[in-house]
Amino acid sequence: MDHKLSPELEELRRTVEAFAHDVVAPKIGDFYERHEFPYEIVREMGRMGLFGLPFPEEYGGMGGDYLALGIALEELARVDSSVAITLEAGVSLGAMPLHLFGTEEQKRTWLPRLCSGEMLGAFGLTEPDGGSDAGATRTTARLDETTGEWVINGTKCFITNSGTDITGLVTVTAVTGRKPDGKPRISAIIVPSGTPGFTVAAPYSKVGWNASDTRELSFDDVRVPAENLLGEEGRGYAQFLRILDEGRIAIAALATGLAQGCVDESVRYAKERHAFGRPIGANQAIQFKIADMEMRAHTARLAWRDAASRLVAGEPFKKEAALAKLYSSTVAVDNARDATQIHGGYGFMNEYPVARMWRDSKILEIGEGTSEVQRMLIARELGLAG
Ligand SMILES: Cc1cc2nc3c(=O)[nH]c(=O)nc-3n(C[C@H](O)[C@H](O)[C@H](O)COP(=O)(O)OP(=O)(O)OC[C@H]3O[C@@H](n4cnc5c(N)ncnc54)[C@H](O)[C@@H]3O)c2cc1C
């Protein structure tokens, strides 16, 4: 892995850094407090081409790759995780399944609008009775031969970007039959927003990511054309595992950004805040805490960039993606806790970015595969799984 970014990636990094600082930072606190989706910021991210970063230009993308996406996510999450997860879910979960597994027609229909950010896509895997155990899908889809339509029934929960005014589709996993051994055949099907019988609940009240959109979805005899099948019938589970492997790199980059943002805020505050007649940063106890935070953020960055470089080079990356996700989410929580401590009582006040980072950090150990699931994946790659 080359430890230096190419000139193009460094320019992207600087551009997103400036955007996060100049546009996101001054506004996001109010959206967060009001639990409101920041349409104007997301529109601007779309204009910058961020939603099209890893997609080919012929579909409206920027012709970049997962490294470019990770760079953008890290810089956004240094300032705010709600906008970063909106981008991550829009790209890795909303558009990437169509890019990797869609037919030419599906790509032409959906990708240009998803790449421009004028439309968001969502990914519906998790169900009330099946998150880590994603194969326990209960949602069903039956092909009605007379009408040539899938008829979908079931419930999905915790689905990001699924109920905004600009959400255009959700790709859902559903059981479409049984294998000879009785195990379910799981397929992925595209459900456009507004399809009759497809109900989107009110947003959840969450601990963090309060300016991002997360909802429960229900499907009651929802009919979509047979052509809305994404990829092969019965391959939906394998496809989604591939999507999650890649998505872990994106979440790791986002977690690294949060960990680095905690360092940024702590360095600034440690110089400004005085106690006992001198800046609190003059105390070695504070310096050491921040030095450890910087060490963790730096190591997390190496881990996600290593995984992304392997993905881009077409090399195996499953273990490295799981390592990066596990490590970066752990250090994001550690850094958020330490940054809050350094800020004292102000760290508990929502107007301070570290309070938001503290609230936003915990989900990183849960979403797109819990830390336990990452350990299971790493152990399996080491040949230890039973
Ligand atoms: C804000 C938010 C946004 C999300 N966005 C999406 C989205 O866009 N799309 C989507 O499909 N899902 C989404 N999710 C769901 C998320 O991916 C799941 O919550 C997560 O995978 C965990 O699943 P679960 O909640 O069912 O927990 P469970 O699977 O019930 O796990 C509960 C606990 O048991 C542990 N556990 C489970 N099995 C084992 C085992 N074998 N060994 C050891 N420990 C185990 C888990 O690690 C966890 O600690 C989102 C969740 C949240 C909170």
Side-chain angles (χ1 to χ4, degrees):
M1 181 182 70
D2 191 347
H3 74 281
K4 272 187 88 175
L5 295 180
S6 66
E8 296 77 29
L9 285 178
E10 180 54 26
E11 191 185 325
L12 171 70
R13 195 197 66 72
R14 281 180 200 276
T15 305
V16 181
E17 181 184 36
F19 171 75
H21 184 264
D22 299 343
V23 178
V24 180
K27 293 182 181 160
I28 197 64
D30 288 342
F31 284 108
Y32 198 90
E33 281 295 294
R34 296 195 300 265
H35 291 218
E36 195 179 311
F37 189 78
Y39 288 101
E40 59 187 82
I41 296 176
V42 171
R43 209 174 298 124
E44 191 56 35
M45 286 158 58
R47 275 199 283 267
M48 291 167 71
L50 300 187
F51 286 93
L53 273 176
F55 302 111
E57 289 169 23
E58 60 176 308
Y59 300 115
M62 301 290 279
D65 54 28
Y66 240 82
L67 207 46
L69 175 65
I71 297 290
L73 288 170
E74 187 183 326
E75 288 304 327
L76 285 174
R78 262 174 91 178
V79 168
D80 178 68
S81 290
S82 291
V83 293
I85 193 60
T86 299
L87 176 64
E88 193 276 340
V91 173
S92 303
L93 305 182
M96 194 55 87
L98 290 151
H99 172 54
L100 289 183
F101 308 113
T103 61
E104 191 55 30
E105 195 186 336
Q106 287 168 339
K107 290 187 206 186
R108 299 231 171 263
T109 303
W110 298 107
L111 282 180
R113 282 175 291 168
L114 295 171
C115 287
S116 71
E118 100 194 45
M119 177 189 276
L120 288 173
F123 167 95
L125 178 67
T126 306
E127 301 195 352
D129 294 316
S132 305
D133 185 7
T137 302
R138 293 202 179 162
T139 297
T140 58
R142 173 181 61 81
L143 190 60
D144 182 338
E145 303 282 358
T146 53
T147 61
E149 292 170 320
W150 292 105
V151 185
I152 306 170
N153 283 285
T155 306
K156 299 286 176 182
C157 65
F158 309 142
I159 308 304
T160 306
N161 285 346
S162 61
T164 72
D165 295 349
I166 56 172
T167 300
L169 71 118
V170 54
T171 304
V172 295
T173 46
V175 177
T176 48
R178 294 274 156 194
K179 296 179 190 165
D181 63 3
K183 289 190 178 158
R185 293 174 64 82
I186 296 178
S187 305
I189 300 175
I190 302 165
V191 182
S193 300
T195 305
F198 171 21
T199 310
V200 179
Y204 291 97
S205 169
K206 305 191 292 274
V207 170
W209 284 359
N210 285 329
S212 87
D213 182 76
T214 323
R215 314 219 186 196
E216 182 173 279
L217 310 177
S218 51
F219 302 85
D220 185 10
D221 281 337
V222 172
R223 287 177 171 267
V224 297
E227 306 84 80
N228 282 26
L229 180 72
L230 183 65
E232 285 173 54
E233 194 272 330
R235 294 282 302 153
Y237 185 58
Q239 290 169 11
F240 273 64
L241 291 185
R242 163 74 196 208
I243 292 296
L244 289 174
D245 280 341
E246 294 189 0
R248 282 180 188 122
I249 303 175
I251 292 286
L254 191 158
T256 302
L258 188 146
Q260 189 65 55
C262 290
V263 178
D264 300 343
E265 295 298 325
S266 297
V267 169
R268 187 176 313 135
Y269 193 75
K271 289 178 181 168
E272 276 170 24
R273 178 70 175 174
H274 283 65
F276 300 100
R278 59 184 192 154
I280 58 168
N283 297 294
Q284 207 174 50
I286 301 277
Q287 292 172 7
F288 280 14
K289 211 187 267 299
I290 296 176
D292 283 353
M293 290 162 66
E294 174 71 2
M295 170 189 70
R296 296 191 289 247
H298 180 78
T299 314
R301 181 170 306 109
L302 294 178
W304 85 252
R305 285 196 191 171
D306 174 52
S309 300
R310 286 168 191 270
L311 167 62
V312 170
E315 296 168 6
F317 65 94
K318 207 180 200 17
K319 185 180 75 179
E320 289 74 16
L323 283 168
K325 204 272 180 180
L326 174 60
Y327 184 75
S328 61
S329 56
T330 306
V331 307
V333 173
D334 290 345
N335 279 15
R337 183 195 58 235
D338 287 351
T340 306
Q341 189 67 19
I342 287 167
H343 280 68
Y346 292 103
F348 203 63
M349 298 297 124
N350 280 329
E351 69 182 274
Y352 279 75
V354 291
R356 203 168 359 104
M357 289 171 180
W358 190 39
R359 292 166 65 175
D360 290 342
S361 63
K362 184 57 205 169
I363 178 61
L364 298 169
E365 294 184 319
I366 298 170
E368 292 196 35
T370 64
S371 292
E372 291 76 15
V373 166
Q374 306 311 316
R375 289 187 169 92
M376 284 160 61
L377 291 169
I378 296 165
R380 198 174 297 156
E381 289 294 307
L382 293 172
L384 289 171

